[in-house]
Amino acid sequence: MSKRRGGGESLPVPVLALAVVAIAFFALPLIGLLWRAPWSNAWTYLTDDDALTALRLSMVCSLWATGLSVVFGVPLAWLLARGTFPGREAVRALCTLSMVLPPVVGGVALFFALGRRGIVGQYLDQWFGITLPFTTAGVVVAQTFVAMPFLVITVEAALRQLDTRFEDAARTLGASRWYIFRRVTLPSIRPALGAGAVLAWARALGEFGATITFAGNFPGTTQTMPLAVYLSLETNPEEAIVLSLLLIVISFGVLVGLRGRWMGRAEANMATVVP
Amino acid sequence: MDGPGRSEHGNGGAVTLSAQIGLQLGALDLQVDFEVQPGELLALLGPNGAGKSTVLRCLAGLAPIDSGEIRIDGTIVDNPVTDTLVEPEDRSVGFVFQNYLLFEHLSVLENVAFGLRARRTPKVSKAKARSVANDWLGRVGLADYAHQRPGTLSGGQAQRAALARCLATNPRLLLLDEPLAALDAGTRATVRRDLRRFLETFDGMRVLVTHDPVDAYALADRVAILDAGRIVQIGTLAEVTAHPRSRYVADLVGVNLVAGTVAGGVLSTASGATVVIADAPDGPSFAMIRPHSVALARVPADGSSTRNAWRGVIVDIDRLGDRVRVGMAGQLPLTAEITTGALDALALQPGEDIVASVKATDIEVYPS
Amino acid sequence: MPRHHRYLAPLAAVGLVLTSCGSDDLAIPTSGSDVAGDVTVFAAASLTAAFTEIGAVFEAEYPEAAVVLNFAGSSDLVAQILQSAPADVFASADTSNMDRLVSASGHATEPSMFATNVAEIIVQPGNPLGITGVVDLANDDLIVVQCAPEVPCGRYAAEIYANAGVAVIPKSYEENVNAVVTKVRLGEADAGIVYATDVIGAGDAAQGVAIPADANVIAEYPIAAVADAANLVGAQAFVDFVLAAESQSILAAHGFRTP
């Protein structure tokens, strides 16, 4: 029995047992789905027009939501990490509020802000003819609302841990602050940015309550996969299972595939240090 | 403002770095005033916490000063009174940081090219920046490492890369913060030699911070001793060590330094000890006593020609080959250097009473 | 007050005895003291207001019993029961969902019709857009919402459009009729197809536009005790209570019509 070879740490047994329970906790629902899936009918469900439309809509909207989360979330994270202004804690709590809010409540709140009679929404409607409820844009808004905090929190933590002396070095070399942000700061937090984006994307993909409340449910426009699954569960549970598995397979693929790209670099660096 | 840093050489030449810095930063109260001539390398030497790195940060623009003025090449870069502050990115300053701070996500070549590509004026094309960077890498002997990551470089190589990176932007003022501290003792000597050769080819001003006097000796033209935020001595290393004016330098050189006031041929210290000295003008003065001039005895010698004898207690005994350094605490703390033979003859042990004596003619006194 | 959305039903010894009899004919309790414990009632969303009131009266009549209510779209409720949610009574907004439950291997017994409802168009108070009938809903500029086709109310809406000979594309298919009412009340939607009882229930917050009888549908509401209910005695008592005069007048007050 060689305890010396093999590299990694060995966990104490109680800790290991808890970890195994946790793995089982996550694996069992997936196994349950696979067990009850109607494999003989699966193909018809998968190629159903409505299902494919819902899938396409889900992917498009969640990617848009992730993009918006990055564009607006990274500057916000930077402000929260580096800015010194009164009420910073309150601002941080505000921006991550939707993480703890029940999604349906978030949807209702979005109504009151951006709906046809909303504080801002009414002007969008009157002046620009822009309405968000019942549109695909509304889906993106609802998804961004719930997903962005995940990215903000991840990136803010990474920015706080950054060694600012590298930015000092860049300044002495003549770089402007914007150049430093693009060429030094952002590359340094790339793993965290990637992880945050993936988290946000996953959250957006699975969003249900805020979407159906704010954007509504219409095939092709606002009926994303979670909505389609929920409604089909009422009348055709087998179809629901197949659609759920499809969503799981896609999410799984993305998570596993991206992990190598975004998080792998950090592991590779560590591998060269250990002799 | 005439401080100890002001040049007494009076060569009338172009003084291109003029720094009068007043800054309060946490527990540090910094008040310094010095100049650096073109082509000169000034070393800031001193204990930790003296403020040496802070001075460099002020010169680079990373720490704005509270009072005073910093002028590089005749241009005021920092003056709180006129509210002038030139940002680091706009100063012609190169900074080699203590841990080199090479950008991990860029190759060595891209690191060296960074400054050229970052500057907006003059706009340098990517190809031109790379070619200049390759040029510099060749000059520091790292041409083969151009496409590697900084993490794969050894300490000495990283230092050269950091040097190339800031020299590539052609700065007027080069700042080095403990450039050899991160290296192990074995490589330090070689790198020091290479660094000296390299720095000699740089014609701008150079300010180097170090806690190792060997660095100062090898690399510097002048040395400024910084202690608790003040410059206590400035001059060539020979000048400074010939007449130490601070505990730090005295320890560096390895001599005893007694501070006090001279009156009528006797130097009196604040603690009440008296030292009889040979001719010296009255006034606040330093007395330097070399350890090998200190004689130790168990009882005061009667009728000896020395009029300086102090009682004390032995606190430590350090053997250095065939010599021994004996530290004595008492009214006048002293370190004596005697032979091992003498040590054995006296059978000295820490904690024992001892009497130290010095001839007045062996004491060098100079005004403080 | 009846508690809502609780799924815990205690095991009733009486229930065990009765299920061991194993026949479709259920014994009718002869006295109030037999009826005790939690009675879990799954009812269509449109019955929210009426059944809440009926539940309170039932509890007053049978002090040992407590009514636990769960409201959702009828199809949603059937899905839950088929996944073994602990219901004692099921009240549906249409017969097809009840049939679905019955045909799934003997789950429900003896469905009885206890009310009917008609559909109505719901609009904002004052009818600002001047909607007069189903034909107006075909206007693409209007934001029309309705229930999803899986939900009874949604199917009725499709029938009504077919009867009236119009093609209406709504902007959203909601999970249940309450959500439709909410969106119109909030002003986010201009009109929706709901039940007449919902328009009454909304009070001043909304207004109704009647649908003529030749286009309209009659929604038939069946109620039944779920066969393997934990509290079979209580379930049957509740079903009988709903069919009795007192509950019928409550239902009428909320706008339901006679079965």
Side-chain angles (χ1 to χ4, degrees), chain A residues 165-166 168-177 179 183-184 187-188 265, chain B residues 57 62 87-89 93 97 101-103 105 114-115 117-120 165:
Chain A
R165 291 179 309 159
F166 285 93
D168 285 346
R171 291 185 76 193
T172 61
L173 290 166
S176 66
R177 289 194 191 271
Y179 192 88
R183 299 300 180 106
V184 178
S188 306
R265 182 64 66 74
Chain B
R57 290 177 65 85
L62 295 169
E87 298 285 340
E89 50 266 30
V93 169
F97 289 82
L101 299 183
L102 295 167
F103 302 122
H105 61 281
F114 186 90
R117 298 201 54 209
R119 278 164 201 250
R120 277 162 298 174
R165 181 175 72 173

Side-chain angles (χ1 to χ4, degrees), chain C residues 152-230:
Chain C
C153 186
R155 271 189 313 101
Y156 292 144
E159 267 185 63
I160 290 168
Y161 299 148
N163 291 346
V166 290
V168 174
I169 314 270
K171 292 288 188 293
S172 178
Y173 295 108
E174 302 299 326
E175 297 174 78
N176 58 53
V177 75
N178 290 339
V180 175
V181 173
T182 305
K183 294 217 173 164
V184 173
R185 283 180 63 168
L186 284 179
E188 287 308 321
D190 297 321
I193 302 275
V194 300
Y195 296 110
T197 49
D198 296 309
V199 177
I200 295 174
D204 292 332
Q207 186 170 319
V209 174
I211 300 174
D214 55 351
N216 211 337
V217 295
I218 310 276
E220 298 182 312
Y221 283 62
I223 185 170
V226 175
D228 56 356

Side-chain angles (χ1 to χ4, degrees), chain C residues 33-66:
Chain C
S33 61
D34 290 343
V35 180
D38 281 349
V39 180
T40 307
V41 177
F42 278 26
S46 45
L47 294 163
T48 307
F51 265 45
T52 306
E53 212 180 307
I54 290 174
V57 180
F58 183 84
E59 283 179 344
E61 177 110 359
Y62 299 101
E64 309 278 314

